[in-house]
Amino acid sequence: MKLIKDGIAKLSFVALLVTVTAAMFYAPTASAHGEKSQAAFMRMRTIHWYDLNWSKDIVPVNDTMTVTGKFHVFAGWPETVAKPEISFLNIGIPGPVFIRAGSWIGGQLVPRSVSLELGETYEFKVLLKARRPGDWHVHSMMNVKDGGPIIGPGKWVTITGSMSQFTNPITTLTGQTIDLENWNLGNIYFWHAFWYAFGIAYIAYWARKPVFVPRLIAMDAGKADTLISPMDKKVGIGFMVATLAIVAVSMETTNAAYPITTPLQAGLLRGMKPIEMPARTVAVKVDSATYRVPGRAMQMTLTITNNGDSSVRLGEFMTASVRFLDPAVHEDDTGYPDDLLAEEGLTVSDNSPLAPGQTRTVEVTASDAAWEVYRLADLIYDPDSRFAGLLFFTDEAGNRQMVTIDAPLIPSFI
């Protein structure tokens, strides 16, 4: 019986070892979209990204692409999220698969944090250089201090070629040209290995002495002072002195080798230039809004007034980067991500042209599986169940006008 138990134990150990080893070498392709992890109210009531364009779907290593578009900073910013007074325009990607070669807001270079104003709309552009081959989901993103990253829509981009071909040359202020991809890489490897070895030597010295249970017994017996000998104290002091000496000498050597340095820049850029939006000629009042859980659809009763001089029609409702379109009014030709585009998701009870000076109350329905897939329906379980979004109206000349809406959302389970 004992032999059988020993055999089973050995087989179990071997099976566990094989499983752990296989897990180390198995790395399945990740396909999750980061925006799903954020609360629906945060995506709806903070920053609305629209008119986005990814310049390329396929990018060779060392080639560049741009992500451009506009973002509207919602005036009804939720109280539970820190205001975007210190924000940083970023790109959401799975690691350094691209490098960010430049970022612009309103035509101004923004290599550092900026201050954004509620209720304003800004243009942006981010220049990216391809680094690591693969299929990557590239998001627009705004990092807000104390508010976290606010992720915009993402699109799959393929990088081709070999990472070994990647270069990142720059010219320093002293005129020296270096490749940041591998510059001083040997020095980095050396110091990492050195300090790892230094630390292991320190741990090894103490590990050769009684550890864990013997130490606990000595402490319980009131003999903790016997655990550390005079030699142990000398060795500890020796390691401390050696550490300080190595750091001091290394710092002095580095300063001598590179006498000209500049500190990292961390200031705040203010006065970002927003888009000068044309005067709004369409006024919208949300009379009521419900989310029909069984039908995965949001229904709104809107009172629309046209104060302009041209007839308008409602062509699009956008919220949390999901676009619901009325194909009779507007069709997307920008290559927007399919999973975020409901091309026939918007229906209006009466979407005939609304003449100048006319007011009309209509029933608007935005329906698509995206409500569940992107967890927007979770909004109905929030303590402050409000939705927000952008309505886009199109006039007779094809011009679009954006109108923001914000209202309570009542769930319906029938």
Side-chain angles (χ1 to χ4, degrees):
M1 181 63 69
K2 184 177 185 302
L3 291 175
I4 294 176
K5 290 182 178 179
D6 290 343
I8 294 175
K10 290 179 180 179
L11 287 175
S12 300
F13 175 76
V14 172
L16 178 62
L17 182 62
V18 171
T19 302
V20 172
T21 304
M24 292 172 61
F25 291 97
Y26 174 64
T29 302
S31 59
H33 295 194
E35 60 266 43
K36 293 182 185 179
S37 64
Q38 294 191 319
F41 82 91
M42 188 169 181
R43 286 175 278 160
M44 287 186 177
R45 297 170 55 197
T46 53
I47 292 181
H48 296 276
W49 307 85
Y50 69 99
D51 286 353
L52 265 67
N53 177 263
W54 294 258
S55 63
K56 298 177 183 178
D57 294 331
I58 300 176
V59 191
V61 168
N62 286 320
D63 201 357
T64 60
M65 65 169 289
T66 58
V67 180
T68 58
K70 305 180 182 72
F71 62 88
H72 176 77
V73 184
F74 188 58
W77 193 279
E79 294 297 325
T80 53
V81 181
K83 300 295 189 295
E85 296 170 354
I86 301 178
S87 307
F88 182 75
L89 177 62
N90 208 343
I91 289 291
I93 50 179
V97 297
F98 286 91
I99 63 168
R100 190 175 62 249
S103 305
W104 294 263
I105 294 179
Q108 180 178 345
L109 181 67
V110 287
R112 59 181 72 171
S113 298
V114 301
S115 182
L116 302 175
E117 299 293 332
L118 299 185
E120 297 289 359
T121 303
Y122 301 86
E123 284 186 324
F124 79 94
K125 181 175 78 170
V126 180
L127 177 64
L128 301 173
K129 184 177 180 180
R131 179 174 180 266
R132 178 178 296 173
D135 297 321
W136 312 109
H137 213 229
V138 181
H139 296 261
S140 57
M141 185 167 71
M142 187 70 70
N143 293 97
V144 177
K145 183 182 178 182
D146 297 329
I150 299 175
I151 302 176
K155 186 174 183 178
W156 289 104
V157 176
T158 300
I159 298 179
T160 60
S162 172
M163 187 173 170
S164 61
Q165 301 170 345
F166 178 75
T167 59
N168 187 19
I170 65 164
T171 300
T172 68
L173 296 179
T174 59
Q176 180 185 6
T177 299
I178 61 175
D179 186 356
L180 283 181
E181 183 68 8
N182 51 36
W183 185 71
N184 248 352
L185 199 58
N187 203 30
I188 294 172
Y189 287 150
F190 168 77
W191 283 110
H192 275 76
F194 175 82
W195 287 115
Y196 272 120
F198 194 87
I200 290 173
Y202 181 75
I203 294 173
Y205 174 81
W206 292 101
R208 70 182 182 83
K209 293 179 170 292
V211 294
F212 303 123
V213 175
R215 285 180 176 272
L216 179 61
I217 294 174
M219 292 181 66
D220 289 342
K223 299 179 180 179
D225 293 340
T226 64
L227 295 174
I228 301 177
S229 66
M231 177 57 70
D232 294 337
K233 295 179 180 179
K234 293 178 181 179
V235 170
I237 293 173
F239 270 99
M240 181 186 69
V241 172
T243 300
L244 295 176
I246 293 170
V247 171
V249 172
S250 300
M251 183 175 178
E252 182 64 27
T253 304
T254 303
N255 288 336
Y258 306 100
I260 301 176
T261 60
T262 56
L264 292 175
Q265 303 300 294
L268 179 65
L269 297 175
R270 301 183 183 275
M272 291 295 100
K273 183 179 179 182
I275 299 174
E276 295 183 6
M277 304 294 286
R280 290 179 181 172
T281 60
V282 178
V284 179
K285 178 178 178 292
V286 182
D287 298 322
S288 66
T290 61
Y291 178 73
R292 189 157 47 88
V293 177
R296 296 186 298 191
M298 189 179 77
Q299 297 175 318
M300 300 176 284
T301 301
L302 305 180
T303 298
I304 306 171
T305 302
N306 183 6
N307 298 313
D309 54 8
S310 176
S311 299
V312 296
R313 300 175 69 188
L314 177 59
E316 177 180 346
F317 168 61
M318 182 179 190
T319 183
S321 300
V322 180
R323 301 174 60 191
F324 301 89
L325 307 182
D326 182 346
V329 181
H330 179 68
E331 294 184 359
D332 179 74
D333 57 0
T334 64
Y336 197 75
D338 292 337
D339 52 324
L340 294 170
L341 186 64
E343 296 179 289
E344 299 180 357
L346 188 69
T347 57
V348 184
S349 59
D350 182 3
N351 208 12
S352 59
L354 184 65
Q358 185 178 358
T359 297
R360 179 187 300 162
T361 299
V362 296
E363 300 293 329
V364 178
T365 302
S367 60
D368 192 77
W371 284 104
E372 299 294 335
V373 173
Y374 279 87
R375 301 176 58 211
L376 302 183
D378 291 355
L379 184 70
I380 62 177
Y381 303 107
D382 288 344
D384 183 14
S385 183
R386 299 181 67 88
F387 82 98
L390 308 179
L391 295 175
F392 291 92
F393 292 86
T394 303
D395 64 16
E396 296 173 341
N399 300 313
R400 289 196 311 159
Q401 183 175 160
M402 180 190 77
V403 178
T404 61
I405 56 173
D406 170 29
L409 185 66
I410 307 300
S412 173
F413 296 92
I414 58 175

